[in-house]
Amino acid sequence: MKVYLVPILFFGLIQAKTESPSILILNEYDSKVVDGSISNYFPSKNFINSEDTSPFLGSLDSLVNPASGRMSLIRKLGSDFDVDYILFHQIEGDNNRFLLEGQMFNTRSGGLIKRRVVDVTSYYKGKINELKLWVGDALREVDKDWVNQRKSILYNEPSEIIQDKTPEGAMARSLLLPGWGQFYSDAYNSGVAISSLESILLTSVLVSYMSYNKSVKNFKTYSKLYEESSEQVEFDEYRSLSNREWEKHKQYNSALIYTSIASGSLWFANGIHAYIVGPRPKKDIIQKWNAKVPSAN
Amino acid sequence: MRLVSIFLITFFLSNCTVYDNNLDNPNDNEANEELGVFPPSVVFFPKEQTKTVSDTVSVGAYAVFSDTSIVPFSGAHLNIKYDNSLLEIDSIAPGWIGPGSITDSNKTTPLFTYVEDQGILDIYAYYLSTSDISIDSLTHIAEIWFKPKSVGSSIVSYDTSECQLIKFDETIIPINGTREASIIIQ
């Protein structure tokens, strides 16, 4: 007896494991979305279609408990159609964007087991592709081609976009070398302007510094010669020279201070400017529209 | 970044100095007037010097007149005080008393004599030329060489109550100021 029971149980287990779950599909589209049926893309699944979507059109979020709010309805439908799961899809859109909401219920428990709301720019065969991605995700049968099709057309999620260039990077570069951050941010005109102006100012600082040092050196030399001269002609000449160098050292000192302040200010402003014009993610990737969760009410 | 900041701050602090233009030469009337010493004045040059005991200290005695008014100066009596415990007179020579001084190209010897007694030196110098009776604004009357006796500091100064500058007609030119010399023996 035992010899017969073991193969029977084993066969039963295999049958139970490989038996495909039955799924009732309820679609509410605002236009023709799919050529053919979604079931064509999931041949291993046992889909049953139904037209009556009215019990699902009320907003799920308006229920006290969205996960279990339709428990009795789901169980009844599961019993009537003899299915394991119910998939409800609703798509709304305009010329530019569409919004897909998918809900997956377990008929045994009557609870909501998965939900997705997708709000994307319309793209070629986008509605059916988003539908495939949703159902594939729910049934764990996502085809890579569907994902790639989406990636090839749509921008990534903003949070997933990795910015190789950042405003902080631009600022750091400009603070290190004026104009570098602007070039880094492809702001070539301002990069050329800032780097040129800063070069001129830095050259002025350097020239002022060298001239100041030379004047100080000459002033000290002539002052010493003046103090060491006892002859009228000599100390008159050295006093004149010394006074002249003293005036020059004062002028170069002022020039040094002002050009340094100008150069430093421009350097700092250039860093701020680089941050402002620094590369940022495009804010208009997603066009604005009045997105809302579909509701027939 | 911190190193750059430190460098820049150090750079500006060390290079933003505006030096004082305190030119001071006792022979320069402009410098003397800034110190309140107005011409005609009798001064020493240099104003200060530091020597060792083995050195000889040379001090020039000068009369400084205004650049704009040439006084018909002809002679001088200088009464000079110094610390004879620290310095002793080594030698004295006539200076530039106008075109007639001994170093002048004319080689005209002035009447020049001196008396030294207990740290007081009296110098008498007269310009004897008959062709030139006026001099430059700065007149080198005498050069005095001191021999240091010991380590210390001494002031060489004029006693203006005893000093006299005279014109060719022997009228006295009032002395309005003096400057002393500082000698440090190390």
Side-chain angles (χ1 to χ4, degrees):
Chain A
M1 188 66 181
K2 284 183 181 175
V3 175
Y4 293 106
L5 275 176
V6 171
I8 289 167
L9 283 172
F10 185 71
F11 182 75
L13 282 171
I14 290 173
Q15 282 295 102
K17 203 160 191 175
T18 55
E19 188 179 344
S20 177
S22 54
I23 302 161
L24 174 66
I25 289 193
L26 300 163
N27 296 322
E28 177 65 28
Y29 303 148
D30 65 347
S31 61
K32 189 180 179 185
V33 175
V34 186
D35 292 328
S37 171
I38 190 74
S39 58
N40 296 338
Y41 300 97
F42 302 93
S44 63
K45 298 293 183 288
N46 180 20
F47 289 103
I48 297 164
N49 289 313
S50 173
E51 300 292 325
D52 186 15
T53 58
S54 56
F56 291 88
L57 295 181
S59 172
L60 196 63
D61 295 316
S62 66
L63 301 175
V64 176
N65 187 347
S68 60
R70 287 174 178 158
M71 193 176 280
S72 55
L73 171 67
I74 299 299
R75 281 181 173 170
K76 183 175 182 303
L77 286 172
S79 172
D80 292 349
F81 288 90
D82 190 22
V83 290
D84 300 311
Y85 300 98
I86 295 174
L87 279 173
F88 168 68
H89 306 131
Q90 187 171 10
I91 296 177
E92 279 185 356
D94 59 16
N95 291 333
N96 298 318
R97 305 184 64 82
F98 69 89
L99 192 145
L100 159 71
E101 177 171 9
Q103 299 168 10
M104 186 181 192
F105 300 92
N106 187 325
T107 55
R108 182 173 296 176
S109 65
L112 178 72
I113 56 174
K114 209 171 183 73
R115 185 186 187 196
R116 177 182 286 182
V117 177
V118 182
D119 175 6
V120 290
T121 305
S122 295
Y123 62 95
Y124 179 65
K125 292 186 178 179
K127 290 175 181 173
I128 184 63
N129 197 54
E130 290 299 321
L131 204 55
K132 285 189 289 185
L133 284 167
W134 147 245
V135 176
D137 184 45
L139 303 178
R140 297 180 183 174
E141 285 186 22
V142 176
D143 192 312
K144 282 185 179 175
D145 288 342
W146 306 340
V147 178
N148 290 336
Q149 186 194 349
R150 188 189 210 213
K151 275 188 179 175
S152 67
I153 298 170
L154 286 185
Y155 291 106
N156 288 338
E157 287 292 321
S159 60
E160 292 173 357
I161 296 173
I162 298 169
Q163 295 293 316
D164 291 332
K165 292 183 175 182
T166 60
E168 290 81 6
M171 187 177 178
R173 281 167 175 79
S174 270
L175 288 176
L176 204 62
L177 187 67
W180 187 11
Q182 282 76 8
F183 286 114
Y184 168 83
S185 308
D186 298 333
Y188 294 105
N189 289 340
S190 55
V192 168
I194 287 173
S195 55
S196 304
L197 198 57
E198 188 64 44
S199 301
I200 292 168
L201 285 172
L202 285 175
T203 306
S204 303
V205 170
L206 189 65
V207 169
S208 300
Y209 172 71
M210 292 167 69
S211 304
Y212 167 85
N213 269 352
K214 188 180 174 189
S215 295
V216 167
K217 189 180 171 188
N218 288 342
F219 168 66
K220 287 180 176 175
T221 303
Y222 290 135
S223 295
K224 192 166 185 290
L225 288 169
Y226 163 82
E227 291 185 359
E228 289 173 353
S229 300
S230 61
E231 297 300 321
Q232 179 101 39
V233 178
E234 285 181 7
F235 65 66
D236 276 351
E237 183 188 355
Y238 291 134
R239 182 182 59 219
S240 170
L241 290 169
S242 184
N243 283 335
R244 196 180 70 192
E245 293 299 327
W246 185 78
E247 288 294 337
K248 280 164 72 177
H249 108 284
K250 259 196 356 173
Q251 288 170 1
Y252 290 132
N253 179 268
S254 298
L256 177 62
I257 290 170
Y258 291 132
T259 52
S260 299
I261 289 172
S263 173
S265 303
L266 180 66
W267 200 309
F268 180 73
N270 136 77
I272 302 291
H273 179 262
Y275 182 81
I276 292 168
V277 302
R280 284 180 172 77
K282 298 287 183 187
K283 289 182 177 174
D284 55 352
I285 291 174
I286 297 172
Q287 298 170 42
K288 288 181 181 175
W289 74 314
N290 293 323
K292 60 183 179 183
V293 176
S295 170
N297 297 337
Chain B
M1 196 67 186
R2 187 180 294 175
L3 282 174
V4 172
S5 303
I6 292 169
F7 169 76
L8 288 174
I9 290 167
T10 310
F11 175 81
F12 285 114
L13 284 179
S14 62
N15 292 290
C16 290
T17 309
V18 173
Y19 291 84
D20 290 331
N21 189 15
N22 293 329
L23 296 176
D24 185 16
N25 186 326
N27 287 356
D28 185 4
N29 192 44
E30 280 190 28
N32 289 343
E33 286 189 351
E34 285 177 12
L35 295 172
V37 179
F38 296 96
S41 59
V42 282
V43 303
F44 289 107
F45 181 90
K47 60 181 178 181
E48 58 188 10
Q49 51 190 313
T50 301
K51 299 283 183 179
T52 63
V53 177
S54 59
D55 289 335
T56 299
V57 183
S58 173
V59 178
Y62 290 81
V64 181
F65 297 93
S66 169
D67 294 342
T68 53
S69 64
I70 303 300
V71 180
F73 164 75
S74 232
H77 165 219
L78 301 179
N79 182 266
I80 297 166
K81 292 192 288 186
Y82 61 94
D83 185 353
N84 64 339
S85 66
L86 204 69
L87 302 168
E88 64 178 353
I89 303 237
D90 183 65
S91 57
I92 299 172
W96 288 77
I97 307 181
S101 87
I102 54 170
T103 50
D104 176 69
S105 57
N106 292 330
K107 302 294 182 187
T108 310
T109 306
L111 176 61
F112 187 88
T113 184
Y114 65 91
V115 178
E116 189 269 325
D117 182 33
Q118 301 291 316
I120 306 258
L121 172 66
D122 284 293
I123 295 174
Y124 303 89
Y126 298 97
Y127 173 58
L128 301 175
S129 170
T130 53
S131 58
D132 296 293
I133 55 171
S134 61
I135 49 134
D136 291 336
S137 58
L138 175 66
T139 302
H140 187 193
I141 296 170
E143 192 71 20
I144 308 158
W145 285 271
F146 291 101
K147 184 93 181 143
K149 292 161 78 175
S150 62
V151 174
S153 63
S154 173
I155 297 294
V156 181
S157 60
Y158 295 103
D159 181 356
T160 49
S161 63
E162 298 289 328
C163 292
Q164 283 186 331
L165 297 176
I166 58 169
K167 297 181 184 177
F168 72 99
D169 58 359
E170 296 192 351
T171 55
I172 295 171
I173 303 166
I175 297 171
N176 292 328
T178 66
R179 292 195 66 179
E180 59 194 23
S182 169
I183 297 168
I184 298 167
I185 308 299
Q186 294 178 330

